[in-house]
Structure formats: C-alpha cells, structure tokens
Amino acid sequence: MFSTSARACQNLLSGIKVSQRFQSTLVIAEHNNENLLPITRHAITAANKLGGEVSVLVAGTKCGTVAEQAAQVQGASRVLVAEGDAFKGLLPESVTPLVLATQQQFKFTHIVAGASAFGKSLLPRVAAKLDVSPISDVVDIKDKDTFVRTIYAGNAILTLKAKDAVKVLSVRGTSFEPAADGGSGGKSEPAPSGDYASKVSEFVSQELSKSDRPELTSAKVVISGGRGMKSGDNFSLLYKLADKMNAAVGASRAAVDAGFVPNDLQIGQTGKIVAPELYIAVGISGAIQHLAGMKDSKTIVAINKDPEAPIFQVADYGLVADLFKAVPELTEKL
C-alpha cells in the first residue's frame, strides 16, 4: 500500500516519463537520382533549427550517389536509403507509405520537406495518414512547437503553436540558408523495407526543358515579364538582356495564361518562389499573387509605363517608361 508521499513521487516520475520525448526530425530529400536538389539543403537548415537529430530519407531507383551527397551535408546525422522501381519518378503515392513506415520505426517528432511541387503533393498525404495538421510554407522557426508562415498570398504573417505529437512541415527554401557540405559524414542505413508500389498511379515519362541560363529558383538575377510584353515573341527582349546579365527568365501568371511562355517560368503564389539578389520586373503590374513569389528578393527593379502599378510599392527602384524602349536601351548599355 502506497503512502501519500510515495504515490506523489510515482506520479511525478510518471509525468516526467510522459513529457520526455527526444527531438528528432526526418527530412525527405528531393533529387533527380543524380544530385541532391538545393531545396533539400534549405530544408536541412530548417530541420536543424528544431534541435535534436536530423535524418534524411533518400528514395529513388539508383540513388546511391544522392545518399552520399546527403551524408556530407552539415547537420545530417543519418541517411536512410530506399531504392527500388516503386520510387521511379518519386510519385507521392509510393513515397507516402515509405515515410509512414519510417515514422513507425523511428518515431520522429518532426517531418520536413521543401515547399516545392514534390513537398506540397507529399506532405498533406502523410499528415492525413498520421491524423495531424500539416503546416505549410514555413518561413521561420521559433522553437520546436512554434512556427511562422505566410497567409493571404503573403500579405500577412501568422505565428502558430502546433500541439500535434508529430509536426509535418513544408518550409520555404528562400527563407533558410542552404546547408553546406563539410559534415562529418552521416551514417547510411537502409530505410524500412516493404511493398511500396502504387496501385493507383504509374510514372510513365517526363520531358525536362533545357536551358543554358541559370535555373530559376537558384539564380542570383531574375528578369520577369508580364502581360505588358504583349506577345511571346517579345520575350526575346528579356532573353537578350538575361544573356548579358547571366540571369534566369521568369514570368507572371498573366503572361503564362496568355500563352506567351511555358508555365515552368511562372513566378508567384501558384508558381515558383524566388529570392534572387536582383529581380527585374518588366511589364508586370504587381498582383498580390505574383508578389508572394518574389518579394523576398534583395533588390527589386520595376519597369512599367503605368506609374500607379502596384509593383512600384515593393520596388527598390522604379522606371516609368515604355518597356519596348527601355529594355533594348538597357541591353545596349550593358
């Protein structure tokens, strides 16, 4: 029979046991079976702000090289590798059960991926299966439970405290520095095995656009055109300027919807998020959906003939001029 003091002591110890949970984070790597994509390095930086051990899950068909790269990234203490035809194309229908099996074995407190097309299609599935609320587009981490994210197309910033036992986060790459190489070499081990082949989808093929210009999301200089370009042929003005500046070329949704350029150039809330050192907006009015994808740029230059265009409210430098005169003149001077 327990005395009152003994029972109180037991309750105290029991409470300590329940509240103690080692911090550990799983970062889901995004790659092309040859190289670790930059968004994963940003996600590893975010994961290290959470504290505790960081594991990186690499799934693919022949991803040994990617696993070696992940092991060398600072902050990655362990790399879990899953190879097989089931992961061809990294379909979310195949990767989701792998993530769940990994979570079942290792009991991570956080699951993190980049806020890319891959992360946005995968993490909601994982969160639904775990019966937790996913936290998307995280731009800052205050502590293991408190996160900052954008809402209303970036017009407002929300700080929230998550109470779920497992936090599922997609992080905006432009808000976190990329983790560098030079780690001590995280240990590599197989991920939980199983039949992960999807019964509802199949990867057939993909066609990737090739360009000599820098990749849009990692370029230091980005030149974007909007509806003011009037036609796809006129984007040649931007291509010439981009070649002079070693810049990437982007576009607003209005330009993409009008068929001026392909949608892989789209920047904005429903496109790519960029934060270059220099962003030049040409013929772009500045709708909030577009601003959500580029307003973290270090320096913003706007060229528009409408002095009332909203883009001038966020621009560091604005030129009220006809773009068909201003852009060729700028190209010539460079």
Side-chain angles (χ1 to χ4, degrees):
M1 193 170 185
F2 285 3
S3 66
T4 303
S5 58
R7 185 175 291 108
C9 184
Q10 184 190 43
N11 291 339
L12 177 61
L13 291 173
S14 175
I16 292 175
K17 184 177 181 181
V18 169
S19 63
Q20 270 190 341
R21 182 168 186 174
F22 292 112
Q23 287 293 116
S24 61
T25 302
L26 176 67
V27 174
I28 304 168
E30 191 171 344
H31 61 90
N32 58 9
N33 267 325
E34 295 177 359
N35 295 297
L36 197 66
L37 297 187
I39 189 67
T40 305
R41 295 179 179 273
H42 296 281
I44 291 173
T45 296
N48 275 286
K49 292 192 69 174
L50 294 165
E53 185 180 72
V54 174
S55 301
V56 180
L57 176 62
V58 178
T61 50
K62 296 179 181 179
C63 53
T65 302
V66 177
E68 292 174 3
Q69 294 174 10
Q72 297 303 318
V73 177
Q74 288 183 3
S77 55
R78 174 171 51 193
V79 178
L80 302 170
V81 185
E83 286 190 318
D85 292 338
F87 306 117
K88 188 177 181 181
L90 288 180
L91 296 177
E93 293 86 351
S94 298
V95 180
T96 296
L98 170 65
V99 175
L100 295 174
T102 306
Q103 171 64 19
Q104 178 67 27
Q105 178 174 332
F106 294 97
K107 309 295 184 186
F108 296 104
T109 55
H110 298 76
I111 298 175
V112 176
S116 60
F118 169 73
K120 289 177 180 179
S121 62
L122 173 65
L123 292 186
R125 297 168 183 268
V126 172
K129 288 291 188 179
L130 294 175
D131 195 24
V132 300
S133 299
I135 306 168
S136 60
D137 273 324
V138 172
V139 297
D140 193 16
I141 295 172
K142 298 295 185 182
D143 58 44
K144 62 183 179 64
D145 298 321
T146 310
F147 312 98
V148 180
R149 64 182 297 266
T150 59
I151 57 175
Y152 301 121
N155 279 328
I157 303 296
L158 171 71
T159 300
L160 65 88
K161 186 166 187 176
K163 295 184 178 180
D164 288 319
V166 181
K167 282 78 174 177
V168 179
L169 317 171
S170 68
V171 299
R172 184 170 289 187
T174 54
S175 300
F176 300 91
E177 291 295 322
D181 287 334
S184 56
K187 59 182 180 179
S188 182
E189 59 185 84
S193 59
D195 180 12
Y196 301 118
S198 172
K199 306 296 190 296
V200 296
S201 64
E202 178 186 358
F203 179 81
V204 178
S205 65
Q206 65 179 359
E207 294 182 14
L208 301 177
S209 57
K210 295 182 179 180
S211 174
D212 293 332
R213 299 186 185 93
E215 204 279 322
L216 192 56
T217 56
S218 59
K220 292 185 178 181
V221 180
V222 173
I223 303 171
S224 286
R227 187 186 282 111
M229 297 302 297
K230 296 185 179 179
S231 74
D233 292 339
N234 290 331
F235 264 78
S236 61
L237 297 174
L238 303 189
Y239 295 141
K240 292 177 182 177
L241 179 59
D243 290 340
K244 289 265 190 176
M245 303 181 70
N246 191 31
V249 174
S252 67
R253 178 170 180 171
V256 171
D257 287 349
F260 297 168
V261 291
N263 59 12
D264 61 327
L265 298 187
Q266 183 177 326
I267 294 172
Q269 184 184 13
T270 54
K272 294 179 179 177
I273 307 295
V274 300
E277 294 180 7
L278 174 61
Y279 186 89
I280 303 177
V282 182
I284 294 176
S285 63
I288 59 173
Q289 289 84 358
H290 183 75
L291 299 184
M294 47 65 72
K295 67 180 182 179
D296 289 334
S297 304
K298 305 298 184 293
T299 302
I300 300 173
V301 176
I303 301 175
N304 199 303
K305 66 180 182 181
D306 178 11
E308 302 300 321
I311 190 70
F312 288 122
Q313 296 177 12
V314 299
D316 298 288
Y317 301 95
L319 176 62
V320 179
D322 183 350
L323 70 88
F324 296 105
K325 294 180 180 179
V327 174
E329 191 173 330
L330 178 59
T331 304
E332 183 180 351
K333 290 185 180 297
L334 286 172

mmCIF file of all heavy atoms in Angstrom, residues 265-292:
data_model
loop_
_atom_site.group_PDB
_atom_site.id
_atom_site.type_symbol
_atom_site.label_atom_id
_atom_site.label_comp_id
_atom_site.label_asym_id
_atom_site.label_seq_id
_atom_site.Cartn_x
_atom_site.Cartn_y
_atom_site.Cartn_z
ATOM 1 N N LEU A 265 7.999 28.740 -66.213
ATOM 2 C CA LEU A 265 8.617 30.042 -65.942
ATOM 3 C C LEU A 265 7.794 30.875 -64.956
ATOM 4 O O LEU A 265 8.213 31.956 -64.553
ATOM 5 C CB LEU A 265 8.791 30.841 -67.239
ATOM 6 C CG LEU A 265 9.700 30.268 -68.325
ATOM 7 C CD1 LEU A 265 9.879 31.287 -69.449
ATOM 8 C CD2 LEU A 265 11.051 29.876 -67.756
ATOM 9 N N GLN A 266 6.642 30.364 -64.563
ATOM 10 C CA GLN A 266 5.730 31.159 -63.733
ATOM 11 C C GLN A 266 6.265 31.372 -62.325
ATOM 12 O O GLN A 266 6.687 30.438 -61.642
ATOM 13 C CB GLN A 266 4.360 30.498 -63.657
ATOM 14 C CG GLN A 266 3.329 31.298 -62.858
ATOM 15 C CD GLN A 266 1.978 30.645 -62.857
ATOM 16 O OE1 GLN A 266 1.576 30.020 -63.844
ATOM 17 N NE2 GLN A 266 1.251 30.763 -61.760
ATOM 18 N N ILE A 267 6.227 32.619 -61.898
ATOM 19 C CA ILE A 267 6.641 33.006 -60.545
ATOM 20 C C ILE A 267 5.420 33.547 -59.809
ATOM 21 O O ILE A 267 4.671 34.349 -60.361
ATOM 22 C CB ILE A 267 7.750 34.077 -60.591
ATOM 23 C CG1 ILE A 267 9.032 33.501 -61.191
ATOM 24 C CG2 ILE A 267 8.027 34.650 -59.208
ATOM 25 C CD1 ILE A 267 10.114 34.527 -61.451
ATOM 26 N N GLY A 268 5.222 33.103 -58.576
ATOM 27 C CA GLY A 268 4.088 33.607 -57.810
ATOM 28 C C GLY A 268 3.531 32.573 -56.863
ATOM 29 O O GLY A 268 4.111 31.508 -56.652
ATOM 30 N N GLN A 269 2.387 32.880 -56.315
ATOM 31 C CA GLN A 269 1.764 32.007 -55.326
ATOM 32 C C GLN A 269 1.508 30.619 -55.882
ATOM 33 O O GLN A 269 1.669 29.620 -55.189
ATOM 34 C CB GLN A 269 0.451 32.638 -54.867
ATOM 35 C CG GLN A 269 -0.256 31.855 -53.756
ATOM 36 C CD GLN A 269 -1.595 32.454 -53.387
ATOM 37 O OE1 GLN A 269 -2.108 33.309 -54.116
ATOM 38 N NE2 GLN A 269 -2.155 32.047 -52.283
ATOM 39 N N THR A 270 1.104 30.526 -57.145
ATOM 40 C CA THR A 270 0.838 29.227 -57.766
ATOM 41 C C THR A 270 1.965 28.807 -58.700
ATOM 42 O O THR A 270 1.811 27.870 -59.482
ATOM 43 C CB THR A 270 -0.492 29.270 -58.540
ATOM 44 O OG1 THR A 270 -0.458 30.365 -59.472
ATOM 45 C CG2 THR A 270 -1.662 29.454 -57.606
ATOM 46 N N GLY A 271 3.087 29.505 -58.624
ATOM 47 C CA GLY A 271 4.250 29.152 -59.427
ATOM 48 C C GLY A 271 5.463 28.918 -58.551
ATOM 49 O O GLY A 271 5.356 28.334 -57.477
ATOM 50 N N LYS A 272 6.600 29.401 -58.989
ATOM 51 C CA LYS A 272 7.841 29.216 -58.241
ATOM 52 C C LYS A 272 8.105 30.398 -57.312
ATOM 53 O O LYS A 272 7.718 31.529 -57.606
ATOM 54 C CB LYS A 272 9.005 29.020 -59.210
ATOM 55 C CG LYS A 272 8.901 27.736 -60.024
ATOM 56 C CD LYS A 272 10.053 27.574 -60.992
ATOM 57 C CE LYS A 272 9.925 26.260 -61.776
ATOM 58 N NZ LYS A 272 11.001 26.101 -62.776
ATOM 59 N N ILE A 273 8.761 30.106 -56.202
ATOM 60 C CA ILE A 273 9.136 31.136 -55.240
ATOM 61 C C ILE A 273 10.615 31.438 -55.439
ATOM 62 O O ILE A 273 11.449 30.530 -55.388
ATOM 63 C CB ILE A 273 8.896 30.672 -53.786
ATOM 64 C CG1 ILE A 273 7.458 30.170 -53.605
ATOM 65 C CG2 ILE A 273 9.201 31.803 -52.808
ATOM 66 C CD1 ILE A 273 6.394 31.203 -53.788
ATOM 67 N N VAL A 274 10.954 32.691 -55.665
ATOM 68 C CA VAL A 274 12.346 33.063 -55.899
ATOM 69 C C VAL A 274 12.745 34.188 -54.950
ATOM 70 O O VAL A 274 11.903 34.971 -54.502
ATOM 71 C CB VAL A 274 12.577 33.510 -57.361
ATOM 72 C CG1 VAL A 274 12.237 32.396 -58.332
ATOM 73 C CG2 VAL A 274 11.773 34.771 -57.695
ATOM 74 N N ALA A 275 14.027 34.266 -54.661
ATOM 75 C CA ALA A 275 14.562 35.341 -53.819
ATOM 76 C C ALA A 275 15.982 35.667 -54.280
ATOM 77 O O ALA A 275 16.943 35.477 -53.529
ATOM 78 C CB ALA A 275 14.538 34.947 -52.347
ATOM 79 N N PRO A 276 16.143 36.142 -55.512
ATOM 80 C CA PRO A 276 17.478 36.444 -56.025
ATOM 81 C C PRO A 276 18.038 37.727 -55.428
ATOM 82 O O PRO A 276 17.329 38.466 -54.729
ATOM 83 C CB PRO A 276 17.222 36.603 -57.527
ATOM 84 C CG PRO A 276 15.825 37.148 -57.596
ATOM 85 C CD PRO A 276 15.082 36.444 -56.491
ATOM 86 N N GLU A 277 19.300 37.992 -55.727
ATOM 87 C CA GLU A 277 19.897 39.246 -55.282
ATOM 88 C C GLU A 277 19.319 40.417 -56.062
ATOM 89 O O GLU A 277 19.214 41.524 -55.537
ATOM 90 C CB GLU A 277 21.414 39.176 -55.460
ATOM 91 C CG GLU A 277 22.077 38.146 -54.552
ATOM 92 C CD GLU A 277 23.581 38.088 -54.740
ATOM 93 O OE1 GLU A 277 24.124 38.937 -55.473
ATOM 94 O OE2 GLU A 277 24.209 37.195 -54.154
ATOM 95 N N LEU A 278 18.945 40.183 -57.319
ATOM 96 C CA LEU A 278 18.347 41.228 -58.154
ATOM 97 C C LEU A 278 17.168 40.654 -58.922
ATOM 98 O O LEU A 278 17.296 39.638 -59.607
ATOM 99 C CB LEU A 278 19.387 41.780 -59.138
ATOM 100 C CG LEU A 278 18.873 42.777 -60.189
ATOM 101 C CD1 LEU A 278 18.293 44.019 -59.521
ATOM 102 C CD2 LEU A 278 19.982 43.152 -61.165
ATOM 103 N N TYR A 279 16.013 41.309 -58.803
ATOM 104 C CA TYR A 279 14.803 40.896 -59.525
ATOM 105 C C TYR A 279 14.328 42.074 -60.359
ATOM 106 O O TYR A 279 14.082 43.165 -59.835
ATOM 107 C CB TYR A 279 13.711 40.476 -58.537
ATOM 108 C CG TYR A 279 12.477 39.889 -59.204
ATOM 109 C CD1 TYR A 279 12.399 38.537 -59.470
ATOM 110 C CD2 TYR A 279 11.406 40.702 -59.567
ATOM 111 C CE1 TYR A 279 11.276 37.989 -60.082
ATOM 112 C CE2 TYR A 279 10.282 40.170 -60.180
ATOM 113 C CZ TYR A 279 10.221 38.805 -60.435
ATOM 114 O OH TYR A 279 9.124 38.267 -61.047
ATOM 115 N N ILE A 280 14.222 41.875 -61.664
ATOM 116 C CA ILE A 280 13.769 42.922 -62.573
ATOM 117 C C ILE A 280 12.404 42.528 -63.121
ATOM 118 O O ILE A 280 12.276 41.524 -63.826
ATOM 119 C CB ILE A 280 14.776 43.139 -63.717
ATOM 120 C CG1 ILE A 280 16.162 43.481 -63.152
ATOM 121 C CG2 ILE A 280 14.296 44.253 -64.638
ATOM 122 C CD1 ILE A 280 17.241 43.647 -64.213
ATOM 123 N N ALA A 281 11.383 43.310 -62.785
ATOM 124 C CA ALA A 281 10.013 43.044 -63.234
ATOM 125 C C ALA A 281 9.702 43.961 -64.400
ATOM 126 O O ALA A 281 9.694 45.189 -64.255
ATOM 127 C CB ALA A 281 9.032 43.282 -62.084
ATOM 128 N N VAL A 282 9.417 43.372 -65.554
ATOM 129 C CA VAL A 282 9.191 44.141 -66.779
ATOM 130 C C VAL A 282 7.745 43.943 -67.245
ATOM 131 O O VAL A 282 7.333 42.821 -67.544
ATOM 132 C CB VAL A 282 10.161 43.696 -67.890
ATOM 133 C CG1 VAL A 282 9.947 44.545 -69.145
ATOM 134 C CG2 VAL A 282 11.605 43.802 -67.422
ATOM 135 N N GLY A 283 6.995 45.033 -67.271
ATOM 136 C CA GLY A 283 5.619 44.942 -67.735
ATOM 137 C C GLY A 283 4.731 44.119 -66.825
ATOM 138 O O GLY A 283 3.762 43.516 -67.268
ATOM 139 N N ILE A 284 5.052 44.110 -65.539
ATOM 140 C CA ILE A 284 4.280 43.355 -64.545
ATOM 141 C C ILE A 284 3.586 44.359 -63.624
ATOM 142 O O ILE A 284 4.241 45.219 -63.027
ATOM 143 C CB ILE A 284 5.188 42.426 -63.723
ATOM 144 C CG1 ILE A 284 5.766 41.330 -64.618
ATOM 145 C CG2 ILE A 284 4.430 41.818 -62.550
ATOM 146 C CD1 ILE A 284 6.751 40.420 -63.912
ATOM 147 N N SER A 285 2.269 44.251 -63.500
ATOM 148 C CA SER A 285 1.514 45.219 -62.691
ATOM 149 C C SER A 285 1.777 45.035 -61.201
ATOM 150 O O SER A 285 1.837 46.005 -60.452
ATOM 151 C CB SER A 285 0.018 45.095 -62.983
ATOM 152 O OG SER A 285 -0.457 43.817 -62.608
ATOM 153 N N GLY A 286 1.917 43.781 -60.771
ATOM 154 C CA GLY A 286 2.220 43.530 -59.362
ATOM 155 C C GLY A 286 1.043 43.029 -58.549
ATOM 156 O O GLY A 286 0.808 43.464 -57.425
ATOM 157 N N ALA A 287 0.296 42.073 -59.101
ATOM 158 C CA ALA A 287 -0.796 41.448 -58.346
ATOM 159 C C ALA A 287 -0.221 40.726 -57.133
ATOM 160 O O ALA A 287 0.918 40.269 -57.144
ATOM 161 C CB ALA A 287 -1.549 40.460 -59.240
ATOM 162 N N ILE A 288 -1.025 40.621 -56.074
ATOM 163 C CA ILE A 288 -0.510 40.043 -54.821
ATOM 164 C C ILE A 288 -0.041 38.612 -55.014
ATOM 165 O O ILE A 288 0.875 38.156 -54.334
ATOM 166 C CB ILE A 288 -1.560 40.118 -53.686
ATOM 167 C CG1 ILE A 288 -2.839 39.365 -54.069
ATOM 168 C CG2 ILE A 288 -1.861 41.555 -53.332
ATOM 169 C CD1 ILE A 288 -3.840 39.267 -52.939
ATOM 170 N N GLN A 289 -0.658 37.879 -55.953
ATOM 171 C CA GLN A 289 -0.238 36.503 -56.191
ATOM 172 C C GLN A 289 1.179 36.454 -56.746
ATOM 173 O O GLN A 289 1.941 35.554 -56.427
ATOM 174 C CB GLN A 289 -1.208 35.811 -57.162
ATOM 175 C CG GLN A 289 -2.577 35.507 -56.568
ATOM 176 C CD GLN A 289 -3.523 36.691 -56.641
ATOM 177 O OE1 GLN A 289 -3.150 37.763 -57.115
ATOM 178 N NE2 GLN A 289 -4.737 36.514 -56.157
ATOM 179 N N HIS A 290 1.546 37.426 -57.561
ATOM 180 C CA HIS A 290 2.912 37.470 -58.093
ATOM 181 C C HIS A 290 3.884 37.942 -57.016
ATOM 182 O O HIS A 290 4.981 37.378 -56.868
ATOM 183 C CB HIS A 290 2.995 38.389 -59.307
ATOM 184 C CG HIS A 290 4.360 38.420 -59.933
ATOM 185 N ND1 HIS A 290 4.836 37.372 -60.701
ATOM 186 C CD2 HIS A 290 5.371 39.327 -59.877
ATOM 187 C CE1 HIS A 290 6.073 37.649 -61.097
ATOM 188 N NE2 HIS A 290 6.417 38.824 -60.610
ATOM 189 N N LEU A 291 3.499 38.939 -56.248
ATOM 190 C CA LEU A 291 4.379 39.463 -55.199
ATOM 191 C C LEU A 291 4.732 38.385 -54.184
ATOM 192 O O LEU A 291 5.835 38.372 -53.635
ATOM 193 C CB LEU A 291 3.713 40.650 -54.489
ATOM 194 C CG LEU A 291 3.379 41.872 -55.347
ATOM 195 C CD1 LEU A 291 2.819 42.986 -54.477
ATOM 196 C CD2 LEU A 291 4.600 42.359 -56.109
ATOM 197 N N ALA A 292 3.803 37.455 -53.954
ATOM 198 C CA ALA A 292 4.054 36.377 -52.991
ATOM 199 C C ALA A 292 5.230 35.518 -53.408
ATOM 200 O O ALA A 292 5.875 34.880 -52.566
ATOM 201 C CB ALA A 292 2.806 35.507 -52.842
#
